[in-house]
Structure formats: C-alpha cells, structure tokens
Amino acid sequence: MDHGHFQELPDLAVRPLGGSVVYANDEAFAQRENLITAGPSRHDRDLFGPKGKVYDGWETRRRREPGHDEAIVRLGAPGIVHGLVVDTAWFTGNYPPEVSVEGLSIEGHPDVDELLAADGWLSLVPRSPVKGDTANEFAVAAGASGAGQRCTHVRLRIYPDGGVARLRVHGVALPDPALLDALGVFDLAALENGGVALDCSNRFYSSPNNLLLPGPTRSMGEGWETARRRDDGNDWIQVKLTGEASIRIAELDTSYNLHNAPGWASLRGRSGPDGEWVELLGRTPLRPDTRHRFTLADTPPVSEVRMDVYPDGGMARLRLYGSLTPAGRDELGRRWRDALPEPASAAERRDA
C-alpha cells in the first residue's frame, strides 16, 4: 500500500489517540509528557521558571558523566511504524547532537520495570545526527531490525542529553484480531482499529486522519477542514477500513462546524483497490454542528470507502460501524501473524 510520504500517515503516539510517555530517566528542565502533545511546540522567549527557561518539550539536565538519556512512549494505537520525526523546535544551544529510536512489541499492560528489562527492543532509527530547531525526519529503512514489526512501545534515546520538543511516530495501526472478534461490531474506519486515510482532495487546514481519531472533537480545529472551493468540483476523502467488512451504520459528524459544514455528503465503497465503486449512501443534506447517523441496508462488503462532501467545508468525525467478513478476518489475521516479533516460536506464531 503506497502512502506517499510517511508523515501523511497518522501519528500513533499522539496523546489524543491514547499515547503516553510512561518513563524518562531525567526531566529536570521540561516534562516528558510534552513529547506527544498534539500540535506544534510553542515558545515564549521571555518565559522562565524556577528551574530555568521554560520549553514546550522534554529537556534533561547537563550530563557530567558518560551515558545517555531516554524516554519510553506507549503508543496509543499499536501498529507498524513507517517513519518518525524527532522535532527539536526552539532548542538551539541545548539539543542532543544524536538520537536513536527502538521499538518493542509486548502484550498486556507492562509496568516500567518490565519495559526496562525487556530484551525485545529492535532498531527503528539507528544512532543518527540531528539538527537543532528542526523537524528531523527518519523513514524506517527496510533493513532495520524493527521494520515491519508491530510495535506497542518506542524508546527515544538522546546522546548525551538535551531537549526534544516532539516525537512523532507515523504508521498504520494493527489491532489484535481477538479483541475485534470479541467486539463483533466496531468502527471500521477508526485509526485505532487499523483504518487510515488513503487520500483526500484537500489538506489545507488539517489532516484527513483527524476524522478517524477516537472520541468527540472539542473544537472546529480537531477535525478535517478544506479550503473554500472556487470551482464546480467537490472535496472528498478515501479511507481504507480494518479489512473487508459489511457496514451497518455510518455517522457523519459536523460538530463545531457552524458556518462551514458541507451542504451535502455521499458514501461509496469498493472491495479492494481495483474493485468497482458502489453506492452506500446517496447524496444527502447535512446540518451544521450535528451528528448524522444513517443505517446502511443491503450494501455489499467493502474494504475502502470514499466520502464526497459538497462542495467543501469541515467535518469533525467519520464513523463506519460494522463487522468483518470471513475474508476480512483472515486477511487481518495474516497481517497480524506477519508482524509478530521474530523471536516468537513457530508454535507461538501459529497460535496467534
């Protein structure tokens, strides 16, 4: 699946998706939790606190002994990491000269001691130089030991110390098939369930993947909004679902979009990238600041959905509730098995 540049993929570590910075060996100057805050780092050059200059990032003290500093992030949605951004915004004389990032796949809810003792950490980004006040981009190379593995946690190491504003972990979520089996009916478009925006007509104000985040929006800025169209066309978004599925309910949410909601919307779907598009929901009027729910009766199984909005505007969330077909469940199981850590035995992979 060609996603173009990895930064078009969702950030699996961001706080709104459920990410958490569970450990840092030092946060003397600035808190570790800032690493996964949504949005860019902010800076007030005149703001100082009791511990020194206040930064919207994670900053450790100056090392006077050999070693390095590190932080561990639990991903909000475990999945396959395609690339990372180590953003040193505003850190100019105090950024780390080098960084590395590793990934770990561990089930359950491990505590910090278990994470520190785990021996399954694999390289996503080898020790590499970075620049200050820069969004340093690292694609996960095909030869990296952690490439293609489902990660539940990532570990950022900085050499020897310093400040990092944001850590972005871009990839595609890979949910546990057993959990989805237990749910039965779930949101097939949700990022945490493996949904992802494949493409859209316009990203002027925000990413289309915002539509697939968990929970309701708290403002207009937390959804997907396009620029105003000055032609006769319309905007659209194409979403890959968890797998081939039968959709039962579609929710098109325009919450907080009071004067810029689309006037109408429609849904089409297809099974596979070469399948024929079929109508799921005809062109339907939308209201501002409203959660619209539609029952989709007698629609065929699909693995991709395209939502067209007419002519443009802002949407808060897109929910597509349904259940996987047997073929969709088998395909998800195959991807799950292929992404298990290599140390797993053949029996463990078969059982999974």
Side-chain angles (χ1 to χ4, degrees), residues 171-187:
V172 179
L174 181 56
D176 184 341
L179 293 178
L180 298 186
D181 283 346
L183 289 172
V185 175
F186 59 92
D187 183 0

Side-chain angles (χ1 to χ4, degrees), residues 2 40 82 84 92 102 129 135 148 166 218 228 271 284 291 316 322:
D2 183 10
H82 289 253
L84 302 99
T92 55
E102 298 166 297
R166 297 286 189 266
R218 297 168 298 174
R228 300 191 186 203
S271 185
T284 302
R291 293 172 65 190

Side-chain angles (χ1 to χ4, degrees), residues 248-333:
R248 302 180 187 180
I249 296 174
E251 181 178 302
L252 281 59
D253 187 355
T254 61
S255 292
Y256 291 100
N257 290 274
L258 297 174
H259 306 292
N260 59 338
W264 304 264
S266 65
L267 296 174
R268 289 181 288 166
R270 66 181 180 182
S271 185
D274 299 320
E276 182 178 349
W277 290 102
V278 296
E279 183 177 275
L280 303 177
L281 177 70
R283 181 164 169 163
T284 302
L286 299 182
R287 304 291 177 234
D289 196 25
T290 300
R291 293 172 65 190
H292 309 77
R293 289 176 174 171
F294 305 100
T295 300
L296 305 185
D298 301 322
T299 57
V302 296
S303 61
E304 297 179 12
V305 170
R306 170 171 165 146
M307 177 178 69
D308 284 84
V309 296
Y310 305 91
D312 54 31
M315 296 283 293
R317 294 288 187 263
L318 172 64
R319 309 293 191 204
L320 300 171
Y321 296 101
S323 54
L324 293 172
T325 64
R329 176 60 178 79
D330 289 345
E331 193 271 336
L332 176 61

Side-chain angles (χ1 to χ4, degrees), residues 228-239:
R228 300 191 186 203
R229 294 194 74 94
R230 305 304 187 190
D231 56 28
D232 296 329
N234 70 279
D235 288 320
W236 53 268
I237 174 178
Q238 186 175 330
V239 176

